[in-house]
Amino acid sequence: MSVERPGAWTRFMAEARARMAEGVPLESSGTLTRLTGLVLEAVGLRVPVGAQCMVGMPGQAPVLAEVVGFSGERTFLMPAGDTHGLCSGARVLPCAPDMPGPVWGEPSRPIRRTGVLRLPMGNGLLGRVVDAQGLPLDHRGPVQDTVLAPMARDRINAMERDPVRQPLDTGVRAINALLTVGRGQRLGLLAGSGVGKSVLLGMMARYTGADVIVVGLIGERGREVKEFVEDILGADGRARSVVVAAPADAPPLLRMQGASYATAVAEHFRDQGRHVLLLLDSLTRYAMAQREIALAIGEPPATKGYPPSCFARLPQLVERSGNGLQGQGSITAFHTVLTEGDDPHDPVADAARAILDGHIVLSRALAEAGHFPAIDIEQSSSRVMHRLVPDRHLELARRFRALYSRYQKGRDLLQVGAYASGSDPALDEAIRLQPQMAQFLQQDLHQAATLEQSVAALAAALDPCRPGDV
């Protein structure tokens, strides 16, 4: 033993000098000391926030975790898998650079020690359904024709982005005519549960004029993933789509990572000059996942239980969408926002309205009346519509809104018979055009309406005696 120890020490020092000369950091590890709720605490670990680590015991499958904070010598990690079987004293090992994993197991994806998570990007994702780690969920074999790219991207200078100037055809008549969307615009779809958000997203996925569609199903029911892909998206929509699914039973870290991954995939195709439609369902579940993580590591709650970091994370995610550099592609994004209890002043909804370029509100009362899509025109708006459409179209939309709002305000008088015809000429006109306006706002799920057809139908609804034109 006395002879082997100097030789082993000499070899270790020689390997350490070689690694230092190559710029490769020495391996460090920590020890798991506490598991409380969702958070793992380790000591002896010197890694930056965002670094990926493996936590495990000899003879057991390791658990992938991400560093989310620290306090003195304690490092806080959020697991990306089941923590069953872990105990105090488990080894915490940072994932080595460009290596498949630590010595006792392999993570699902190569990860850099610097904390930059790399996941598959490329044309091989088209038509596939993957999870938040880029692993296939559709039982169609491994994902091919992809490259591993970092999730983190440099922010685009706001002065270098192309402005939103070109209208985008969504295939939905009410949106095309009254809430015209621009290529590169970011909108919110605000609604309570069960009002038709997913179905409306499916319509836009099938009918919108985009090169690539990226769908992020974040924190939703697992049953809805297969239904959205097979029933709502359909074969035609799926062929040019990438679906990233992180259902409600996924750990909060994977739910947040799924939203970031879907956005990163959209950025990858935008950088190739393609026009991308990003459908993220939902932004609220993303905020809830961040709330779970923040509260678990001790951040104090603020507005309705949401800590301040939630409202800081939202613009960081949303601002990644939009037009790219001049002459490059674009990302037109629809982020759904779940208004809890149908409260339009939900804190996440308020924050989303402030950072998005418009919002579409779905009404439960309209949905219960069989009105689909249940878009509340009075509460919805597109902040860039006036830059996208000609004056004639803008005037038709303004007149439609005015008449529709006038009818809604006088509806109670009409129902109780307290209104006498001729008392209000504007209300008389709104009553006369109400059947045409209601028919215009409704649309069959399997029927598309182009932008030109939508504007013509808008003109016809306001003047039934004359064919619509612009």
Side-chain angles (χ1 to χ4, degrees), residues 36 112 155 162 170 218 246 250 271 285 317 354 365 400 442 458 466:
T36 305
R112 291 188 182 276
R155 289 183 295 177
D162 267 345
T170 64
I218 311 302
D271 294 343
R285 304 299 188 193
L317 179 70
F400 186 100
Q442 299 182 60
L458 174 62
R466 184 179 63 184

Side-chain angles (χ1 to χ4, degrees), residues 231-421:
D231 302 335
I232 299 178
L233 195 59
D236 295 338
R238 182 175 178 179
R240 56 177 178 142
S241 301
V242 180
V243 179
V244 179
D249 60 346
L253 178 65
L254 290 186
R255 278 179 269 150
M256 290 193 63
Q257 185 174 304
S260 299
Y261 183 33
T263 306
V265 171
E267 289 176 312
H268 176 82
F269 287 113
R270 179 186 63 188
D271 294 343
Q272 295 180 348
R274 304 193 195 183
H275 298 296
V276 183
L277 175 66
L278 173 62
L279 306 175
L280 191 62
D281 185 15
S282 68
L283 197 64
T284 302
R285 304 299 188 193
Y286 173 82
M288 287 180 174
Q290 171 60 22
R291 177 175 64 181
E292 293 178 36
I293 295 175
L295 294 178
I297 63 176
E299 186 177 349
T303 307
K304 289 190 177 181
Y306 287 96
S309 63
C310 291
F311 303 106
R313 287 272 191 171
L314 292 179
Q316 293 175 4
L317 179 70
V318 170
E319 284 293 325
R320 294 169 60 180
S321 306
N323 286 329
L325 301 175
Q326 294 183 4
Q328 290 189 357
S330 65
I331 301 176
T332 305
F334 285 86
H335 297 83
T336 67
V337 179
L338 180 64
T339 53
E340 297 184 8
D342 292 333
D343 180 12
H345 301 294
D346 178 82
V348 178
D350 277 341
R353 273 192 291 260
I355 59 179
L356 293 170
D357 304 323
H359 55 275
I360 300 172
V361 179
L362 300 186
S363 167
R364 184 173 300 277
L366 291 175
E368 291 174 348
H371 186 289
F372 181 83
I375 298 176
D376 190 334
I377 295 300
E378 292 182 287
Q379 298 189 52
S380 306
S381 70
S382 173
R383 296 181 179 177
V384 300
M385 179 178 175
H386 62 282
R387 301 193 189 101
L388 305 174
V389 300
D391 293 340
R392 170 65 173 163
H393 180 179
L394 202 62
E395 176 60 26
L396 287 173
R398 186 205 63 78
R399 185 180 170 216
F400 186 100
R401 282 175 169 273
L403 291 173
Y404 185 84
S405 179
R406 189 69 188 88
Y407 178 83
Q408 295 301 322
K409 291 178 179 178
R411 190 173 181 178
D412 292 341
L413 295 176
L414 296 174
Q415 290 178 342
V416 299
Y419 175 73
S421 179

Side-chain angles (χ1 to χ4, degrees), residues 104-181:
W104 75 81
E106 295 186 357
S108 58
R109 199 58 61 191
I111 303 166
R112 291 188 182 276
R113 186 188 295 276
T114 57
V116 178
L117 182 63
R118 299 183 301 155
L119 294 179
M121 313 278 181
N123 293 330
L125 291 172
L126 293 174
R128 302 302 301 269
V129 182
V130 297
D131 65 7
Q133 295 178 314
L135 301 177
L137 297 175
D138 50 11
H139 304 292
R140 296 172 57 190
V143 178
Q144 304 292 339
D145 191 22
T146 59
V147 295
L148 294 177
M151 294 275 286
R153 300 287 187 96
D154 293 334
R155 289 183 295 177
I156 299 178
N157 188 329
M159 295 299 294
E160 296 177 357
R161 285 183 183 265
D162 267 345
V164 180
R165 292 290 185 269
Q166 183 179 354
L168 179 68
D169 188 351
T170 64
V172 181
R173 184 165 51 242
I175 297 177
N176 281 343
L178 302 174
L179 305 165
T180 308
V181 176

Side-chain angles (χ1 to χ4, degrees), residues 11-97:
R11 287 195 301 272
F12 173 78
M13 292 300 295
E15 293 175 358
R17 292 190 185 96
R19 289 169 64 88
M20 293 177 65
E22 296 174 359
V24 178
L26 294 176
E27 181 182 277
S28 65
S29 63
T31 303
L32 184 66
T33 59
R34 185 180 181 186
L35 193 163
T36 305
L38 301 173
V39 179
L40 307 176
E41 291 187 19
V43 295
L45 203 60
R46 297 287 183 181
V47 288
V49 172
Q52 309 293 311
C53 301
M54 301 299 291
V55 185
M57 301 286 291
Q60 294 184 359
V63 178
L64 180 65
E66 180 177 314
V67 177
V68 295
F70 56 86
S71 176
E73 297 297 323
R74 296 180 300 160
T75 302
F76 304 134
L77 303 100
M78 186 62 60
D82 188 8
T83 58
H84 181 75
L86 293 181
C87 65
S88 179
R91 191 182 182 193
V92 182
L93 185 64
C95 295

Side-chain angles (χ1 to χ4, degrees), residues 174-197:
I175 297 177
N176 281 343
L178 302 174
L179 305 165
T180 308
V181 176
R183 195 179 294 279
Q185 187 176 355
R186 297 160 296 193
L187 292 100
L189 192 60
L190 281 61
S193 58
V195 185
K197 298 187 304 296

